Amino acid sequence: MNGISLFRLYALRAAYLFLAAGLAATVWPLLINHSPQWLLMNGVVCSLLAAVSVLAVVGIRYPLQMLPVLLFEIVWKSIWLIAVALPLWWANQLDARTWETVRDCLLAAILVPLIPWRYVIAQYLTRPGERWRHELRV
């Protein structure tokens, strides 16, 4: 059908479950029990991650269609590690909280071998995109 083994589909489902459960345990309690003085960006980040957890639940049922959720996780964590954590590490300015975030972001490395990269390339890079304008019908 799509060339993805059943084992790979179950591995992806496990990744979605891991992501959804981890975010449910860490982000949802913060979102539900936040104080009225919550910083704006804390609310934004928690809301975004809560949305990712909901989409990860959908990925358990539709592991290939929801691959952009896992790709998003890999990309944003890689960007943060390179743009934020690496310069702090080079300057020897990583505090305990930042190290904790580094550890959490490095967990995304688990996802890399689970992603069916040939499928991603075929579906998102080499496949023709959707049309950009209305086609004339004769």
Side-chain angles (χ1 to χ4, degrees):
M1 194 157 72
N2 54 28
I4 307 298
S5 71
L6 187 58
F7 175 80
R8 177 64 63 93
L9 292 174
Y10 276 104
L12 287 171
R13 287 182 170 112
Y16 289 113
L17 180 62
F18 178 74
L19 181 59
L23 290 172
T26 58
V27 172
W28 279 98
L30 295 173
L31 194 58
I32 292 168
N33 300 314
H34 69 85
S35 74
Q37 292 79 29
W38 213 20
L39 295 175
L40 174 65
M41 286 312 296
N42 288 352
V44 170
V45 169
C46 279
S47 297
L48 180 127
L49 292 175
V52 169
S53 74
V54 171
L55 294 173
V57 170
V58 177
I60 295 169
R61 181 167 180 167
Y62 302 104
L64 294 178
Q65 289 88 334
M66 299 306 289
L67 273 174
V69 172
L70 296 182
L71 296 174
F72 175 76
E73 277 294 298
I74 292 169
V75 170
W76 87 256
K77 288 178 178 180
S78 297
I79 290 170
W80 187 87
L81 286 167
I82 293 166
V84 177
L86 191 59
L88 289 173
W89 180 71
W90 276 337
N92 200 23
Q93 295 179 343
L94 280 176
D95 60 14
R97 259 185 95 208
T98 308
W99 268 116
E100 194 175 310
T101 304
V102 167
R103 185 200 70 223
D104 293 344
C105 286
L106 285 173
L107 281 175
I110 294 169
L111 299 175
V112 174
L114 300 180
I115 302 289
W117 291 106
R118 281 188 225 155
Y119 179 87
V120 168
I121 291 166
Q123 292 297 309
Y124 301 113
L125 299 178
T126 59
R127 183 173 146 201
E130 308 296 335
R131 64 181 180 197
W132 285 81
R133 58 186 163 177
H134 183 70
E135 294 179 9
L136 295 175
R137 296 186 189 202
V138 183

